[in-house]
Amino acid sequence: MTKLSVNINKVATIRNSRGGNIPDVKKVAQDCESFGAQGITVHPRPDERHIRYSDVYAIKPLIKTELNIEGYPDKKFVELIMNVRPTQVTLVPDAPDALTSNRGWDVAANLDELSELSELFRSKGIRTSIFVETGLENIEYAAKTGADRVELYTGPYAENYDGNREDAIAPFIEAAKRAKELGLGLNAGHDLNLSNLAYFISQIPRTDEVSIGHALISDALYFGLEKTISMYNECLKQNRK
């Protein structure tokens, strides 16, 4: 069963643009769960331009499903993870000034660091996922780190979907197959939306989780949050039989 984890960063972006506490990210996190999301994702960045570190501490006690914290593992981020103890941590190679996640790890080049982090987080019962592209070598090295899962960076899939969806999905099918052969769980995220999600899941039905934020929150402006989450869950329905 593929779980839907809603990334609420964009909600915090709207709040921060005006100050105050509207919209309330804590309430939105709870509402997403009550509307059918199986998890909440947050991605605090050093400049706190959307989700703040204080938000993460405030949200954690409210989450009844799963909390996934994404981020670059600098000292402050690692301290956050050790204090909050989320269900899952997703390690991404973002530069401090990155607008959004736009690449996966070169796992071989960062093998020692990622292995140490995986061991540290696992010792605290935190599931660890490494953000990667579809190169099979990266996935093989991810397995060597001791991580529990990989998250496939689906930006290239979304970018090429309208041109030729069969070609767009092909490297992801191979990557997913290799990940499963190595005993890794499989997550996916970045630019998945109501147009391309169902096909992705139909081709890779053993996807454990998708993390979706920008498109889902944007769709909610038109359809409302409850209806939008229902629509995304419908895209995943075929994998919940």
Side-chain angles (χ1 to χ4, degrees):
M1 183 176 78
T2 304
K3 294 181 177 181
L4 171 64
S5 186
V6 177
N7 186 320
I8 60 172
N9 276 21
K10 281 297 183 293
V11 177
T13 302
I14 297 172
R15 177 201 61 190
N16 295 353
S17 70
R18 187 68 179 266
N21 195 41
I22 299 175
D24 184 340
V25 295
K26 298 190 299 296
K27 185 177 187 304
V28 171
Q30 292 177 294
D31 287 343
C32 286
E33 288 189 320
S34 68
F35 295 154
Q38 297 88 46
I40 300 297
T41 291
V42 291
H43 188 151
R45 287 187 164 87
D47 60 6
E48 297 192 326
R49 63 180 181 269
H50 33 61
I51 285 290
R52 300 167 181 153
Y53 278 68
S54 59
D55 291 329
V56 182
Y57 285 102
I59 290 168
K60 173 57 165 65
L62 306 176
I63 300 302
K64 297 178 181 179
T65 55
E66 294 191 352
L67 177 62
N68 171 46
I69 304 179
E70 300 178 343
Y72 179 79
D74 60 14
K75 182 178 179 180
K76 185 178 180 181
F77 181 83
V78 172
E79 289 177 352
L80 175 74
I81 298 303
M82 297 301 286
N83 289 333
V84 174
R85 306 284 181 91
T87 310
Q88 177 175 269
V89 56
T90 301
L91 303 176
V92 297
D94 284 352
D97 60 347
L99 181 63
T100 185
S101 301
N102 57 14
R103 63 186 177 90
W105 285 96
D106 180 342
V107 185
N110 296 276
L111 182 62
D112 290 344
E113 177 187 6
L114 293 171
S115 297
E116 291 174 5
L117 289 166
S118 295
E119 182 178 0
L120 174 64
F121 297 144
R122 175 173 285 186
S123 73
K124 302 302 180 182
I126 303 167
R127 186 170 69 228
T128 304
S129 179
I130 297 177
F131 196 64
V132 297
E133 296 170 51
T134 54
L136 300 186
E137 182 181 36
N138 264 330
I139 293 171
E140 290 164 358
Y141 272 97
K144 294 179 181 180
T145 69
D148 302 285
R149 295 184 181 182
V150 289
E151 178 174 335
L152 295 180
Y153 166 55
T154 49
Y157 164 74
E159 182 179 352
N160 296 303
Y161 177 83
D162 289 336
N164 187 318
R165 67 180 190 177
E166 290 81 10
D167 286 349
I169 196 67
F172 290 86
I173 293 174
E174 291 302 311
K177 178 182 177 182
R178 187 63 181 135
K180 290 298 182 179
E181 289 173 348
L182 294 168
L184 291 166
L186 184 69
N187 298 341
H190 200 84
D191 288 344
L192 295 174
N193 57 41
L194 290 172
S195 298
N196 60 38
L197 178 59
Y199 181 71
F200 185 93
I201 295 300
S202 73
Q203 299 302 300
I204 309 176
R206 292 189 294 173
T207 305
D208 293 298
E209 173 187 295
V210 292
S211 176
I212 305 177
H214 182 82
L216 189 151
I217 299 303
S218 297
D219 289 332
L221 297 175
Y222 293 93
F223 304 119
L225 186 59
E226 182 172 9
K227 175 63 174 176
T228 298
I229 289 175
S230 176
M231 294 167 75
Y232 275 86
N233 273 325
E234 188 64 27
C235 292
L236 302 173
K237 187 176 180 179
Q238 59 189 308
N239 204 22
R240 294 179 180 167
K241 296 178 181 178

